[in-house]
Each structure stands twice: as C-alpha cells, then as structure tokens.
Amino acid sequence: MNSDTRLAVLASRVRFEEKQIMAALDRRGVSFVHLDPRSLVVSDDTRQDLTVLNREIGHYRALYAASALESAGAAVLNTAAATHVSGDKWLTTSALMAKGLPTPRTALAMTPEAAHDALDQIGYPAVVKPLVGSWGRLVTAIPDRATAVGILEHVAALPSPQQHIVYVQELVEKADRDIRVLVVGGEALGATYRRGDEWRTNVARGAVSVKCDLTNVHAKLAVAAAEAVGAEIAGVDLLEDADGHLTVLEVNDRVEFRGFQDAHEIDVADVIASYAIARAEA
C-alpha cells in the first residue's frame, strides 16, 4: 500500500466484525486509524484524506458521519447516499422497485389511520415495520384487523412524526429460514440460510446461520439489489416462498457477518480489508 494512502474504520462499538477487519488490516501491514463518531467533529475547514470503512452501529450517526466526512474529502464505504437508502426500509423498497427487482408487496401510509386502508390493500396477515431499525426490533406481524386496531393505536401514540408513517408489507409464507448473501465490490461471496424458532430469522434474535449453496440466481439478484441502493459492501436478505420464488427483503449496508463466517471458510474481514485497500489505492 502506498505510504501516503490512509485508511480509517469508523465505529463507536468495536464488535466481532470490527475486530476482525482491524486484525486483517494489521496482518497486511496496513496502517489505519479508528474513528469513533462519538468524538468526531467535522467543520467547514476540515480536510480528511481518508478512505473510511463505515462500521458505525447507529444509523443516524453512520449517515451523518459519512456525509460530513465526504464533504471533507474522504471516500466512505459505503457512501452516505447508500446508507441513507439502505437504512430506510421504504427507500430500499422504492430503489428495488425502480430497478424492477422482486420484493414483497408493500404499501406506505402517511398516518396510522391511513394504515388501516394500507393493510386492507395488502391483505392479512401482514407485517408493520419501523422505517429505520435493525435486528427485527418493533417488526410486528398482524394477523387480522382486530389486532391492527391495537397496534396502530400504539403507533399513533409514539412521539416522533417519522414513527407515524407506517410501512406495511405482506407476510411472505416461507420456510423457517431466509437467505443472507454477502456482496463485496459487486461480487457475491456466498450465502447462508438463517433458521430460527420464530418468524423473524435475525441472528440477533437467536437464529442460526448454516451454509447455503450459492446459485447464480442468488448471486445475480443479491448483486443487483446491492447496486440498486448503491452499496459496495452489503448483506442482502432474500426470501424464498413455497414455490421457490425469490424476493429481496432488505439490503444491509453495515452488515454483520459473524454468523456467515461461522458457516463458511471465507475470511470475510480479509475480503473487506482487501477491497478497502484497493479502493484507497485507486
């Protein structure tokens, strides 16, 4: 790596993934700095000649830190624009639909009251999700209108105006698993099935990752989804219905990969480090 090229890892919490990425950079003899966004200040006269791996766990800090660093001249992976889109479920759905990619039927209601009409259009059972959020938190399955009444009353009482915009999606009948595909630099590294005891198959909720044989269909769809939101590094979640049809559920721009790495012999952190070094030297 050129001596005048600098890398940074942006993270307030150094988890398994960040430790692995930093260790991979160390093994390659690459110097880097750890930027903690909790103490980061970027002013109008700041210059940052850095390539930054954005691993910040909080969506809004990740978004605004990326934007500020880019305004100061840094190259950020993923970009602020990619974080903006992939961190918001409706913006992700909109980007996928714009590219003609399959995604579950979705409606967006501007008020909790209008969400009743949205649920009627989508049909029961359905799912209500927060626009911004991770690990399946506050994602609620709604089996019928009677349940919807109570849930939407709760949504109407939430303090943030953004929380009153209701994202409604069909509940896809699937096996007890979904598929996570990791994409780095426009290439699918591999896939895992994520199996759980409940309908939300998030590893953070106790789901287990097992290796899935990556097919050309998986790879092509995942790469296209990552490109749709502008993410160079992404975890793409696919759903497979009872007939084997695939839809794109989410694109995760600051993807956690511990479960994936446990299921594969692929050193994900080393792949990400290698890609960041190449981008820094480009």
Side-chain angles (χ1 to χ4, degrees):
M1 181 171 179
N2 297 333
S3 59
D4 59 348
T5 302
R6 298 183 64 210
L7 275 172
V9 178
L10 180 76
S12 59
R13 187 187 303 175
V14 179
R15 303 164 294 171
F16 168 86
E17 288 82 2
E18 290 72 43
K19 289 176 182 176
Q20 292 292 304
I21 291 169
M22 292 176 180
L25 292 170
D26 281 335
R27 286 195 304 271
R28 289 171 172 267
V30 176
S31 61
F32 65 93
V33 293
H34 171 210
L35 291 179
D36 188 334
R38 294 172 297 186
S39 57
L40 178 67
V41 176
V42 181
S43 61
D44 56 5
D45 60 353
T46 300
R47 292 303 300 168
Q48 293 283 356
D49 184 20
L50 290 171
T51 296
V52 181
L53 270 172
N54 191 348
R55 298 292 312 177
E56 169 51 30
I57 192 170
H59 169 68
Y60 290 107
R61 269 205 303 252
L63 173 60
Y64 284 99
S67 178
L69 288 165
E70 287 172 354
S71 73
V76 184
L77 306 174
N78 291 303
T79 64
T83 295
H84 176 58
V85 175
S86 59
D88 183 295
K89 292 179 177 60
W90 171 254
L91 296 180
T92 297
T93 295
S94 181
L96 295 172
M97 291 191 300
K99 294 296 183 180
L101 300 178
T103 190
R105 292 179 60 237
T106 305
L108 192 69
M110 300 302 123
T111 65
E113 293 76 20
H116 287 291
D117 291 334
L119 284 161
D120 288 340
Q121 291 176 27
I122 294 297
Y124 296 96
V127 182
V128 169
K129 301 179 179 181
L131 291 174
V132 175
S134 302
W135 308 308
R137 292 179 301 192
L138 301 180
V139 175
T140 306
I142 301 183
D144 50 43
R145 176 173 266 273
T147 305
V149 170
I151 294 297
L152 294 174
E153 283 180 355
H154 172 75
V155 170
L158 294 173
S160 168
Q162 186 196 49
Q163 292 172 307
H164 297 164
I165 299 173
V166 184
Y167 178 96
V168 177
Q169 196 167 64
E170 68 172 317
L171 180 61
V172 177
E173 292 294 333
K174 62 181 179 69
D176 62 342
R177 67 189 189 191
D178 65 5
I179 299 169
R180 161 68 60 85
V181 181
L182 281 191
V183 177
V184 178
E187 194 171 315
L189 301 187
T192 57
Y193 290 120
R194 299 188 302 175
R195 290 191 171 96
D197 293 331
E198 60 165 297
W199 63 278
R200 291 172 294 184
T201 46
N202 302 83
V203 171
R205 307 193 71 85
V208 176
S209 294
V210 296
K211 185 175 180 180
C212 167
D213 290 332
L214 181 71
T215 68
N216 288 336
V217 175
H218 295 147
K220 184 177 180 181
L221 185 55
V223 169
E227 290 176 350
V229 304
E232 296 176 67
I233 302 169
V236 180
D237 295 341
L238 308 177
L239 292 179
E240 187 176 30
D241 67 19
D243 296 323
H245 299 133
L246 290 171
T247 57
V248 182
L249 185 63
E250 290 186 1
V251 182
N252 303 274
D253 67 302
R254 286 155 288 131
V255 60
E256 296 171 277
F257 53 79
R258 185 169 195 162
F260 181 97
Q261 192 146 300
D262 286 345
H264 283 269
E265 295 180 357
I266 300 168
D267 188 338
V268 178
D270 191 68
V271 174
I272 291 174
S274 176
Y275 183 74
I277 291 167
R279 289 282 277 105
E281 292 182 333

